[in-house]
């Protein structure tokens, strides 16, 4: 089974802090993703990475950056946390194979910015 | 805005009954669809996927039906169990865009009564 592990289940930070969310996958997947999930808005893509050191902006990249130094690890960075970034953050990964492949998710990090 | 939606936000069934969860999509070019299950406090879990060259696909106790004529997707769960209680949402992708980008519906809450 695919295993996507997010380092923290719950995190509380203060406005203005720099926040790091970590994600590791163990299936040698090329693609990795960061989403946020908010009630009534569903899942929204923040950033995507298709290879080491490669990244693309998703639908809502403002206020976020990412880092992918190793294939298995994808980090989301909140440069200066704000209260509107309080949310559930989900990491996912997928294989590049013949045809489309499903994304597999971690259990999420519930982040509160005070 | 979202191009994938659900007809019913909540569905309540008796244990042992069959459940049907529906999803409408608006992009006729979408050709890959996924159903996810999300239990409380967990990340979305892949259930089943289907490509547009098929109209039906079966898994263990689940069947996905695709009607491209009316742009409708459904997930059928046979002999629903209490452990099936969760939010279910569909996702779509179309080959004309990036092959990674999924558009997610907002979800249907399935409650199984014992």
């Amino acid at each position: 089974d695919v295993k996507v592990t997010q380092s923290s289940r719950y995190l509380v930070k203060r406005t203005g802090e720099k926040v790091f969310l970590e994600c590791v996958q163990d299936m040698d997947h090329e693609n990795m993703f960061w989403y946020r999930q908010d009630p009534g808005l569903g899942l929204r893509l923040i950033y995507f990475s298709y290879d080491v050191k490669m990244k693309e902006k998703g639908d809502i990249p403002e206020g976020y950056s990412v880092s992918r130094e190793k294939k298995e690890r994808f980090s989301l960075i909140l440069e200066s946390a704000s209260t509107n970034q309080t949310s559930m953050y989900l990491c996912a990964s997928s294989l590049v194979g013949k045809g489309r492949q499903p994304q597999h998710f971690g259990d999420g990090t519930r982040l509160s910015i005070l | 805005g979202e191009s994938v939606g659900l007809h019913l936000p909540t569905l309540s069934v008796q244990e042992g009954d069959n459940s049907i969860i529906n999803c409408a999509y608006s992009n006729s070019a979408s050709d890959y669809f996924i159903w996810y299950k999300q239990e409380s406090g967990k990340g979305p879990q892949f259930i089943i996927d289907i490509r547009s060259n098929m109209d039906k696909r079966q898994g263990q106790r689940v069947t996905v039906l695709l009607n491209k004529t009316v742009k409708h997707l459904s997930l059928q769960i046979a002999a629903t169990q209490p452990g099936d209680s969760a939010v279910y949402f569909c996702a779509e992708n179309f080959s004309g865009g990036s092959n990674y980008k999924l558009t997610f519906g907002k979800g249907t809450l399935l409650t199984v009564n014992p």
Side-chain angles (χ1 to χ4, degrees):
Chain A
D1 279 353
V2 176
K3 185 70 174 176
V4 178
T5 304
Q6 296 184 230
S7 56
S8 303
R9 293 298 305 275
Y10 301 94
L11 208 52
V12 180
K13 296 290 182 181
R14 296 204 173 274
T15 302
E17 282 192 69
K18 190 169 186 176
V19 181
F20 294 84
L21 302 183
E22 305 289 343
C23 175
V24 176
Q25 51 92 6
D26 67 356
M27 288 302 292
D28 203 35
H29 285 176
E30 291 85 356
N31 297 330
M32 295 190 75
F33 309 83
W34 275 106
Y35 294 89
R36 61 180 285 177
Q37 185 178 33
D38 300 288
L41 296 177
L43 273 77
R44 293 180 292 168
L45 181 65
I46 304 171
Y47 264 99
F48 157 67
S49 171
Y50 54 90
D51 201 352
V52 174
K53 297 189 186 295
M54 306 305 290
K55 61 184 179 184
E56 282 189 18
K57 292 180 179 179
D59 298 321
I60 51 164
E62 296 77 20
Y64 303 94
S65 63
V66 290
S67 173
R68 191 158 180 209
E69 296 297 319
K70 294 184 177 181
K71 189 176 185 180
E72 67 271 18
R73 185 179 298 272
F74 192 34
S75 303
L76 179 69
I77 304 155
L78 284 66
E79 298 290 344
S80 177
S82 63
T83 55
N84 63 11
Q85 292 178 309
T86 291
S87 186
M88 169 70 87
Y89 289 87
L90 290 162
C91 176
S93 71
S94 70
L95 184 67
V96 174
K98 290 184 179 179
R100 257 65 60 74
Q101 299 290 329
Q103 295 178 20
H104 298 272
F105 287 84
D107 279 337
T109 295
R110 188 165 292 282
L111 175 64
S112 297
I113 306 297
L114 305 179
Chain B
E2 295 285 341
S3 65
V4 175
L6 296 173
H7 292 167
L8 299 173
T10 61
L11 178 64
S12 183
V13 300
Q14 292 298 122
E15 182 178 359
D17 286 353
N18 296 334
S19 302
I20 300 176
I21 300 170
N22 297 301
C23 177
Y25 63 95
S26 58
N27 188 347
S28 57
S30 292
D31 56 2
Y32 178 58
F33 304 89
I34 308 172
W35 278 103
Y36 287 96
K37 171 187 180 183
Q38 187 172 20
E39 297 175 88
S40 180
K42 295 188 176 181
Q45 176 188 356
F46 168 75
I47 302 173
I48 193 168
D49 59 1
I50 188 168
R51 288 166 174 77
S52 60
N53 60 352
M54 304 171 70
D55 53 19
K56 180 179 180 179
R57 192 171 187 211
Q58 290 184 293
Q60 188 176 10
R61 280 201 308 118
V62 296
T63 300
V64 55
L65 299 177
L66 176 62
N67 186 329
K68 295 181 285 293
T69 302
V70 294
K71 293 185 290 219
H72 184 266
L73 190 69
S74 69
L75 178 71
Q76 300 179 0
I77 305 173
T80 314
Q81 302 167 1
D84 294 327
S85 294
V87 173
Y88 290 81
F89 54 90
C90 60
E92 66 173 318
N93 174 252
F94 73 101
S95 59
S98 300
N99 64 7
Y100 66 86
K101 188 171 174 60
L102 295 177
T103 301
F104 294 88
K106 293 183 175 59
T108 291
L109 174 62
L110 175 66
T111 302
V112 182
N113 302 308

